[in-house]
Amino acid sequence: MRRALFPGSFDPLTLGHFDIIKRGVHLFDEIVIAIGINAEKKYMFHLDERKQFIEEAFKDQPKVIITTYEGMTVDFCKKVKAGFILRGLRNPADFEFEKAIAHTNRKLSKIETVFLLTAANTSHISSSIVRDVIRNKGNYKLLVPDSVRVK
Ligand code: ADP
């Protein structure tokens, strides 16, 4: 079974994440979306909301599993028996950042990181931009799946 972990903060899920997951489903038997919990990070959306947005977006996709984790990503991969980490790449800055992490993870384990290049129409989207649009009362709906709703 080819199982990949797609780790991230998903604060909130964006059309960029959605695109990577939808395409990843064709490459792997199962994708475990793992929402990282970092006690030092301040989030806009509560963990339950972030999880709910993803669950609703993929409710018809049995190959997608949603979970949360704390600690090292490679340790969690071992726990859930994922041999791959899936990550999206938007630009050279993502590449440099991801390269260092992937090399480190490879040193710590046998887990391979697989990168998918972002779709051209979602390459400008990041959760932090979505949060800015929300804070400034802009039309965030253009950047996220329908399941993401601000109360
Ligand atoms: P993190 O806090 O780990 O950066 P994110 O939730 O921001 O978590 O991102 C999780 C993953 O989704 C990362 O691999 C990131 O590169 C990817 N990603 C985020 N936005 C996009 C996008 N617009 N297109 C493709 N991949 C994306």
Side-chain angles (χ1 to χ4, degrees):
M1 146 98 73
R2 282 183 178 261
R3 183 180 287 130
L5 194 84
F6 186 51
S9 310
F10 307 104
D11 187 32
L13 178 73
T14 69
L15 289 177
H17 299 129
F18 189 74
D19 167 69
I20 297 289
I21 298 162
K22 258 187 5 198
R23 287 157 58 206
V25 156
H26 300 293
L27 302 174
F28 299 100
D29 300 312
E30 199 167 274
I31 297 201
V32 179
I33 304 180
I35 311 173
I37 304 172
N38 180 345
E40 277 159 29
K41 233 171 160 175
K42 281 236 174 296
Y43 299 103
M44 173 176 267
F45 292 94
H46 190 274
L47 181 61
D48 292 341
E49 284 180 290
R50 283 183 278 147
K51 194 159 178 256
Q52 198 188 318
F53 295 153
I54 306 172
E55 276 167 355
E56 197 181 319
F58 292 99
K59 63 177 184 308
D60 298 324
Q61 182 47 263
K63 288 168 84 178
V64 173
I65 286 164
I66 298 117
T67 185
T68 60
Y69 78 107
E70 267 177 289
M72 300 250 293
T73 304
V74 286
D75 290 341
F76 191 65
C77 283
K78 284 178 202 151
K79 191 170 167 204
V80 298
K81 299 192 168 44
F84 304 89
I85 294 174
L86 176 64
R87 297 288 286 178
L89 288 180
R90 285 165 291 195
N91 50 45
D94 270 359
F95 174 74
E96 289 301 333
F97 179 73
E98 294 291 343
K99 187 174 77 162
I101 296 176
H103 280 154
T104 307
N105 285 340
R106 189 87 183 102
K107 200 146 194 101
L108 298 173
S109 72
K110 293 214 160 13
I111 294 155
E112 288 285 2
T113 304
V114 175
F115 297 102
L116 281 184
L117 204 56
T118 176
N121 60 343
T122 57
S123 65
H124 62 288
I125 303 176
S126 65
S127 292
S128 67
I129 288 183
V130 171
R131 293 195 298 273
D132 272 348
V133 172
I134 291 171
R135 273 190 210 103
N136 292 293
K137 312 257 180 284
N139 186 7
Y140 67 94
K141 288 277 176 193
L142 299 173
L143 308 170
V144 297
D146 288 343
S147 61
V148 177
R149 282 180 292 266
V150 179
K151 283 183 204 142

